[in-house]
Amino acid sequence: MHSQKIGIVGSGNWGIGLGIAFALSGHQVIIWTRSEEKVKLLNDSRSHPLISPQAFPKTLSFSASPDEIMDSSVIVSALPSQVTLSVWEKSFVGLVANQTLIHSTKGLLSDGSPYISERLSKLTQKPWSFLTGPTFADEVARQLPSAMVLAVPQLTEDYANLRTILSSKFLRIYLTDDLIGTQICSALKNILAIASGVLDGLELGHNTRAALMTRGLAEMTRLVRSAGGKSETAYGLAGMGDLLLTSTGPQSRNRKLGRELVRTGNLHDAQKTLNGEVAEGQYATEIALKLALTHNLEMPITEAVHHLLSGRKPDDVMKILLARPAGLES
């Protein structure tokens, strides 16, 4: 493996966790955060209590300078989806040259193409890949065995080499050319995780969760296929894999949001419990429904989550779902 300089745009838990993993694999990693104060804190303390108990690798550093970040051969954007385009347009687009560009943001966008890779490609006039999969930041940072999928514009030798560069003995990365399917899956699983959290709050048991995840996977697969993606993507790491993790894992922000929706009774108070972190599913729900409408698809679980986020009572939403006729399984 050839050591690379990797720049990561975004210093949330995922950006730092991924940066630690890459640095432990022998790469030089520099992570951007807009706050000079946070840069000093992280560079001086050399640790992050929520992500990894050990000190940061020596090859990991932080900077508030876009120029320093973009002076890298590989760039990974790890910003929340709602701010990705604005941050890139303001601070980074003019510095794009010959870097390999990857985004690792799980969400859909409104007002245009919902796919972040397409919007970033249009903004920068360069191709973008998408790195996703069933991963919690702290487990990746602690080098617990994990698997991800890298969706690329085309299956070429250069992208195969990129997969090898980013992989390690603890992080297995697979390749696909299904950029649309992986991005839909990465957004839909967050919506379904909110629903899973609602089941937690209502104490509806394991049978209900199994039904939710199975029928949710069916919704995901139909939308992926209708939008031009591959059905097998929904059954892989970006789809079923990430759905399993996010709907059952104790660290899932989207699952927590659903649980807190039941406890607090409203979205505003539920969001407060996330302590400033972002549950991407709440933003993806309406966009996913609009995308489904363009393909003449029904997505009852996604629609139910939209009702919950809009203030409908969980018991009422469950009654609506359970009143739907059950036909052929598909």
Side-chain angles (χ1 to χ4, degrees), residues 29-47:
V29 179
I30 183 166
I31 300 177
W32 178 83
T33 178
R34 71 180 73 203
S35 167
E36 291 282 5
E37 182 180 354
K38 187 174 182 180
V39 167
K40 186 176 189 310
L41 176 64
L42 291 169
N43 281 334
D44 289 349
S45 67
R46 305 300 303 161
S47 65

Side-chain angles (χ1 to χ4, degrees), residues 1 24-25 143-146 164 166-172:
M1 180 200 73
L24 288 173
S25 297
Q143 294 190 310
L144 300 183
S146 304
T164 301
L166 298 180
S167 297
S168 71
K169 60 183 179 180
F170 300 104
L171 181 60
R172 294 178 62 85

Side-chain angles (χ1 to χ4, degrees), residues 42-171:
L42 291 169
N43 281 334
D44 289 349
S45 67
R46 305 300 303 161
S47 65
H48 192 301
L50 297 179
I51 300 174
S52 179
Q54 73 266 25
F56 292 150
K58 293 181 179 179
T59 56
L60 174 69
S61 63
F62 296 82
S63 173
S65 167
D67 292 273
E68 289 186 25
I69 304 301
M70 296 299 285
D71 185 26
S72 305
S73 57
V74 177
I75 303 294
V76 179
S77 180
L79 297 160
S81 60
Q82 298 76 40
V83 302
T84 294
L85 292 179
S86 60
V87 170
W88 269 86
E89 186 170 20
K90 179 180 179 181
S91 302
F92 293 95
V93 68
L95 302 172
V96 172
N98 297 315
Q99 305 95 331
T100 298
L101 302 172
I102 304 168
H103 82 90
S104 195
T105 299
K106 298 175 180 179
L108 297 172
L109 299 178
S110 59
D111 303 322
S113 169
Y115 310 117
I116 299 177
S117 66
E118 291 185 0
R119 301 281 285 275
L120 284 171
S121 293
K122 183 177 180 180
L123 178 66
T124 61
Q125 297 298 300
K126 297 288 183 179
W128 281 75
S129 302
F130 176 46
L131 182 64
T132 187
T135 45
F136 285 141
D138 70 314
E139 294 187 15
V140 171
R142 289 186 288 134
Q143 294 190 310
L144 300 183
S146 304
M148 302 187 74
V149 59
L150 179 66
V152 298
Q154 51 188 328
L155 297 175
T156 64
E157 185 176 349
D158 285 343
Y159 283 121
N161 291 335
L162 176 64
R163 184 208 67 82
T164 301
I165 288 169
L166 298 180
S167 297
S168 71
K169 60 183 179 180
F170 300 104
L171 181 60

Side-chain angles (χ1 to χ4, degrees), residues 249-263:
Q251 301 173 52
S252 169
R253 295 188 297 272
N254 291 279
R255 183 185 174 197
K256 181 178 181 179
L257 181 67
R259 187 168 60 246
E260 293 298 323
L261 270 174
V262 176
R263 187 183 69 82

